[in-house]
Amino acid sequence: MQTLQQIRHIDFTGPAGDSTLLRDKLTLLLDSTGEGIYGIDLEGRCTFINRAGAQMLGYTVEQVLGKNMHELVHHSHEHGEHYPEEECPILKAFRKGESCRVDQEVFWRANGTCFATEYSSYQIIDGGEVRGAVITFSDISKRRLAEEQLQRAKAELEQRVAERTRELSVALTQVRELSAHAHSVREDERTRIAREIHDELGSLLVALKLDVNWMASRVADREPVARKCASMNRLIETAVDNVGRIITDLRPSILDHQGLVAALEWQVQEFSEATELPCDVEFDISPQAFAPQGTLATAAFRIFQEMLSNVAQHSQATQAKIVVRLTPDELLMEVEDNGIGVPAAALANPKSYGVMGMRERALHFAGALSIENAVDGASAAAGAPESGNAAANRGTRVRLVLPLRNDSHA
């Protein structure tokens, strides 16, 4: 490989002015670029270097020519570890007849400091043979600093996001615990009120009925008074029925006395009688399963009530399918109707407290509530008149899955 020093003394074919012109143009080309450019022979010795490259390295051109460039500027890694010559990408690449581009290493200056560099190496081929390589390099310290600052800012932002996410997660957990506590307190209060109504008002109505019957047996010969006693008796019986209904609405005694499965069966019967909807009912209870009790049973029952209530109030359905499946591992409850469906906006509405309440109850016990086959408002309106057309009224399927711990029956 010929060096620039040698090129200056070559006797080019042709007039002397042509060789001088070529030499001057080549020197001008190398010195006019802001990037460092140097060439090496097969031994890694510098054959030429431009002024910008020499200045970037802290040398003069004459100090670099003929020197082993790896030993001069590429001898160590960024933190001072020795960089063996056989591992140098520049030498490995061009000796194999390849090129390389690297932007994660440093070059060392004459004063012992280093700078981040991006360099590319390309073979110099003469007569079909590789004679060396030409390397272009630039100082990317500012770019590396900007990247590090950006990375630090990104890491700080990710840390803040993670911290805020944790805070929000803790806050959400606290809100759910508070909501669950509020539900528990409300259920306790309902139970207390139902018990007081049963014990106080119920006993008073029974005593009043006995007194009216006693009076009626003694005024049988007085027809107006007897009719009044009979009327009073009917009113008392109506009051007893209403009190029973109120007590059941507050807290179904069947849930406490016979368990969740019996309470769900009773609720299905009440729903069917109240709505007169044909219901396809399936209860699949595994013999090895234990029905949930306590707060989990209450939550499951209230969610089931809300499912059926939504069908009765909003679906405009003509039939419903109800599935309750209990295994040792989970409780599944599914209510499907052939009504007008649920507008997507209604499901996303933050004021849909019924849906929100069901989801929050389920999430508190690590459950999952899904609402499928929802339609948008336009489709629901268009599908309403098409009664009997299953394609028009896709209906709604509400599905609850509650995982059961091993101690859920305790």
Side-chain angles (χ1 to χ4, degrees):
M1 180 64 195
Q2 303 290 344
T3 67
L4 282 179
Q5 296 276 350
Q6 294 168 323
I7 289 175
R8 297 176 195 274
H9 298 90
I10 290 179
D11 184 15
F12 291 95
T13 301
D18 291 345
S19 63
T20 301
L21 179 61
L22 177 60
R23 180 196 63 199
D24 291 343
K25 286 186 175 181
L26 181 58
T27 302
L28 180 62
L29 175 64
L30 291 172
D31 289 341
S32 63
T33 178
E35 291 187 334
I37 303 176
Y38 67 87
I40 55 175
D41 59 19
L42 294 177
E43 302 302 322
R45 295 187 296 266
C46 181
T47 56
F48 66 87
I49 186 169
N50 68 341
R51 184 181 299 111
Q55 291 176 350
M56 209 179 299
L57 296 171
Y59 296 98
T60 63
V61 173
E62 289 73 17
Q63 289 176 311
V64 176
L65 292 175
K67 299 292 179 62
N68 184 299
M69 292 302 289
H70 182 79
E71 296 178 358
L72 187 68
V73 301
H74 205 200
H75 48 78
S76 302
H77 292 289
E78 182 176 0
H79 298 293
E81 303 93 338
H82 177 62
Y83 201 153
E85 184 173 319
E86 58 270 17
E87 296 179 6
C88 177
I90 297 173
L91 300 178
K92 287 170 65 177
F94 88 83
R95 286 172 181 171
K96 292 180 180 180
E98 300 174 352
S99 302
C100 72
R101 180 179 179 277
V102 178
D103 62 357
Q104 297 296 322
E105 295 185 357
V106 298
F107 277 179
W108 293 84
R109 300 185 184 93
N111 62 5
T113 62
C114 66
F115 61 91
T117 184
E118 178 180 22
Y119 64 81
S120 301
S121 173
Y122 302 93
Q123 312 92 332
I124 297 177
I125 300 177
D126 184 12
E129 295 183 5
V130 177
R131 301 295 187 180
V134 59
I135 295 91
T136 63
F137 66 97
S138 58
D139 185 345
I140 60 170
S141 299
K142 292 182 178 179
R143 190 180 81 187
R144 182 75 59 80
L145 178 61
E147 290 175 352
E148 291 174 354
Q149 291 175 340
L150 180 61
Q151 188 63 32
R152 283 196 297 271
K154 180 182 177 182
E156 291 176 0
L157 179 59
E158 289 177 349
Q159 182 178 358
R160 292 180 182 178
V161 170
E163 291 174 353
R164 182 56 60 87
T165 301
R166 284 193 297 270
E167 292 173 358
L168 292 175
S169 178
V170 170
L172 180 59
T173 300
Q174 292 174 341
V175 168
R176 284 177 177 164
E177 290 176 352
L178 179 61
S179 176
H181 177 69
H183 286 310
S184 178
V185 170
R186 182 162 49 193
E187 290 295 335
D188 292 342
E189 187 67 11
R190 284 178 169 180
T191 302
R192 183 188 65 80
I193 294 173
R195 186 180 299 116
E196 289 186 0
I197 291 175
H198 176 272
D199 294 343
E200 300 294 334
L201 187 56
S203 61
L204 288 175
L205 288 173
V206 170
L208 185 59
K209 181 177 176 62
L210 294 174
D211 289 344
V212 171
N213 288 338
W214 181 87
M215 289 177 57
S217 66
R218 285 161 174 73
V219 294
D221 56 336
R222 300 179 184 180
E223 185 177 351
V225 179
R227 286 199 305 271
K228 179 58 69 174
C229 287
S231 175
M232 292 172 62
N233 205 350
R234 289 193 296 272
L235 290 175
I236 293 172
E237 289 176 353
T238 302
V240 170
D241 291 340
N242 288 338
V243 167
R245 178 182 55 77
I246 292 171
I247 291 174
T248 300
D249 289 343
L250 285 172
R251 177 73 179 185
S253 60
I254 190 174
L255 180 61
D256 297 322
H257 298 152
Q258 299 185 39
L260 176 63
V261 175
L264 296 178
E265 291 175 340
W266 168 81
Q267 187 65 56
V268 170
Q269 183 178 355
E270 290 288 306
F271 168 78
S272 180
E273 292 176 356
T275 61
E276 298 183 347
L277 283 179
C279 295
D280 180 7
V281 181
E282 177 186 346
F283 274 76
D284 183 7
I285 311 300
S286 171
Q288 293 78 28
F290 291 94
Q293 296 184 5
T295 56
L296 179 57
T298 301
F301 180 76
R302 293 304 185 191
I303 294 174
F304 190 69
Q305 277 188 319
E306 186 69 22
M307 289 178 177
L308 297 180
S309 175
N310 286 337
V311 174
Q313 296 182 36
H314 308 297
S315 70
Q316 302 181 28
T318 58
Q319 63 183 22
K321 179 180 179 181
I322 301 170
V323 176
V324 175
R325 187 171 295 117
L326 179 64
T327 69
D329 298 321
E330 68 180 23
L331 169 66
L332 178 145
M333 299 188 301
E334 185 174 282
V335 176
E336 181 178 356
D337 64 69
N338 67 340
I340 61 174
V342 181
L347 295 178
N349 190 341
K351 293 185 179 181
S352 296
Y353 298 117
V355 174
M356 187 187 306
M358 288 193 293
R359 283 177 173 158
E360 287 302 316
R361 282 182 187 266
L363 286 171
H364 179 72
F365 293 98
L369 181 83
S370 62
I371 303 177
E372 301 172 343
N373 294 345
V375 298
D376 59 30
S379 298
E386 304 255 356
S387 60
N389 186 344
N393 289 354
R394 294 189 296 171
T396 305
R397 181 188 301 113
V398 184
R399 179 187 180 94
L400 171 70
V401 178
L402 284 175
L404 304 180
R405 300 189 300 268
N406 292 331
D407 60 345
S408 63
H409 60 282

